[in-house]
């Protein structure tokens, strides 16, 4: 295994421990993944990425702590211990240095928090796409509205909020899709406003769940792009590819229908996890 692959595996390991397991990192496990001593791995990490491994982990912890403060009712003391700080005081000092405000200030009003995203080591990415004709279907779920430029921060917060509030479980129980999975739906406002309505939904035929809305998707032809890897980086890389190349050059007319993301059931931190981007196109099939 090459160094880039080892580093990406370790980055995925870090995210799994910080977000899913909420456990301290094990230096011995990192060393085994790196296939070298932990000290030597830290030197290689700093050389390749221009930052120390410990600084990267600290930045990710404080980024995730910011998400938790804005999207949950957890107390500061809970969040501080969750991310491995010895006391709320030490956590508050680190948080203020990183975000420029205290945790209490971060929770009040429309305060902007700093984000250090999950690192993506330079690896070769391949995409596979196809045209698929799909019958009309119904989506049900919950939505938020994002002003221009807000989606990069508000959409991840919305996913986190829905997960913690039990919305995912509520939607999954009504899912009648084949195969089953969660959809992310983009609806754009007037060109002058550039607002985006983003929804987390499932295909469902039954009763509308309490607090949810529905969207009827007409029979359409879709350009479906497979994205492999942990999310959100895999789906973000897919959109970047589409915006820089395919959407600029593709010979199809965009149909009058929302753009969709689709997330399969499974461990979304796995390197082979499948997500998809669906672009509606004027039928040529």
């Amino acid at each position: 295994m090459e160094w880039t692959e080892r580093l990406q595996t370790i980055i995925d390991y870090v995210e799994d421990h910080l977000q899913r397991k909420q456990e301290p990192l094990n230096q011995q496990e990192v060393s085994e993944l790196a296939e070298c001593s932990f000290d030597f791995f830290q030197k290689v990490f700093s050389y390749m990425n221009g930052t120390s491994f410990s600084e990267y982990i600290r930045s990710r912890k404080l980024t995730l702590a910011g998400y938790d403060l804005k999207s949950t009712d957890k107390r500061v003391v809970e969040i501080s211990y969750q991310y491995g700080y010895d006391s709320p005081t030490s956590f508050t000092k680190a948080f203020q240095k990183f975000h420029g405000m205290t945790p209490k200030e971060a929770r009040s009003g429309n305060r902007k928090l700093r984000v250090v995203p999950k690192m993506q080591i330079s690896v070769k990415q391949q995409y596979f796409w196809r045209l698929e004709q799909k019958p009309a279907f119904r989506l049900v779920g919950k939505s938020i509205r994002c002003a221009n430029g807000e989606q990069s921060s508000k959409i991840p917060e919305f996913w986190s909020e829905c997960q913690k509030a039990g919305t995912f479980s509520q939607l999954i129980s009504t899912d009648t899709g084949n195969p089953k999975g969660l959809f992310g739906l983009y609806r754009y406002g007037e060109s002058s406003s550039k607002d985006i309505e983003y929804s987390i939904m499932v295909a469902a035929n039954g009763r509308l769940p309490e607090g949810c809305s529905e969207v009827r998707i007409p029979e359409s032809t879709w350009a479906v792009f497979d994205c492999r890897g942990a999310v959100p980086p895999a789906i973000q890389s897919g959109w970047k590819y589409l915006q820089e190349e395919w959407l600029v050059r593709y010979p199809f007319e965009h149909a009058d229908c929302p753009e969709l993301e689709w997330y399969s059931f499974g461990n979304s931190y796995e390197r082979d996890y499948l997500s998809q981007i669906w672009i509606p196109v004027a039928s040529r099939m």
Side-chain angles (χ1 to χ4, degrees):
M1 185 183 295
E2 296 182 357
W3 265 111
T4 53
E5 294 178 279
R6 294 180 201 171
L7 286 173
Q8 189 61 60
T9 298
I10 292 168
I11 294 299
D12 294 342
Y13 166 87
V14 168
E15 293 300 311
D16 185 55
H17 275 65
L18 291 181
Q19 296 197 51
R20 296 184 72 244
K21 298 181 179 178
Q22 297 180 357
E23 297 174 351
L25 300 182
N26 185 306
Q27 292 187 7
Q28 180 60 36
E29 290 181 0
V30 172
S31 179
E32 291 173 0
L33 292 172
E35 300 178 19
C36 64
S37 70
F38 185 73
D39 288 342
F40 184 72
F41 161 72
Q42 291 186 101
K43 292 178 182 178
V44 173
F45 186 96
S46 299
Y47 175 77
M48 293 186 69
N49 301 294
T51 187
S52 69
F53 186 55
S54 59
E55 176 64 19
Y56 170 72
I57 293 172
R58 186 185 70 85
S59 296
R60 288 298 296 149
K61 285 181 176 180
L62 292 169
T63 293
L64 296 172
Y67 292 153
D68 288 342
L69 278 166
K70 298 292 279 187
S71 62
T72 74
D73 294 326
K74 288 182 180 179
R75 296 180 300 160
V76 171
V77 64
E78 293 179 77
I79 296 175
S80 65
Y81 291 135
Q82 176 181 328
Y83 290 107
Y85 285 86
D86 295 332
S87 68
T89 301
S90 60
F91 169 71
T92 297
K93 288 180 179 178
F95 190 93
Q96 187 166 18
K97 183 177 179 181
F98 183 78
H99 289 287
M101 68 191 79
T102 66
K104 182 178 180 181
E105 290 169 337
R107 269 192 162 143
S108 62
N110 190 25
R111 304 300 296 270
K112 292 183 179 181
L113 299 181
R114 181 184 171 194
V115 171
V116 172
K118 175 186 174 182
M119 185 178 291
Q120 287 297 297
I121 307 299
S122 178
V123 294
K124 294 180 180 178
Q125 180 63 276
Q126 297 185 65
Y127 298 99
F128 295 90
W129 73 283
R130 61 200 174 276
L131 290 179
E132 288 191 19
Q133 183 80 32
K134 294 183 180 290
F137 59 99
R138 171 179 176 254
L139 293 176
V140 302
K142 296 192 175 182
S143 307
I144 58 166
R145 184 167 294 279
C146 306
N148 186 32
E150 290 183 336
Q151 55 267 35
S152 61
S153 60
K154 291 191 71 172
I155 290 176
E157 289 176 3
F158 183 48
W159 277 89
S160 177
E161 178 184 331
C162 286
Q163 184 178 31
K164 293 184 182 347
T167 303
F168 286 179
S169 299
Q170 178 189 33
L171 293 177
I172 289 169
S173 67
T174 66
D175 190 350
T176 58
N178 184 23
K180 297 178 184 295
L182 289 167
F183 284 89
L185 180 148
Y186 289 87
R187 283 192 289 188
Y188 299 89
E190 298 296 329
S191 58
S192 58
S193 70
K194 297 183 179 180
D195 284 355
I196 293 174
E197 183 179 338
Y198 184 83
S199 307
I200 297 175
M201 309 186 114
V202 294
N205 298 322
R207 182 179 59 85
L208 185 67
E210 184 178 353
C212 293
S213 59
E214 68 175 34
V215 176
R216 300 278 179 172
I217 303 295
E219 179 179 355
S220 304
T221 299
W222 302 86
V224 178
F225 293 81
D226 288 348
C227 302
R228 289 285 180 178
V231 294
I235 202 84
Q236 291 170 344
S237 296
W239 278 114
K240 186 173 187 291
Y241 157 72
L242 291 176
Q243 291 163 356
E244 292 180 351
E245 181 175 333
W246 197 84
L247 287 173
V248 176
R249 301 182 181 182
Y250 78 106
F252 304 99
E253 180 183 352
H254 197 295
D256 185 18
C257 190
E259 295 171 352
L260 299 174
E261 300 168 340
W262 180 78
Y263 298 90
S264 62
F265 288 161
N267 184 351
S268 60
Y269 295 95
E270 291 287 343
R271 297 187 65 187
D272 200 42
Y273 174 78
L274 174 65
S275 55
Q276 295 175 337
I277 297 173
W278 296 15
I279 304 294
V281 299
S283 177
R284 292 195 173 201
M285 299 182 67

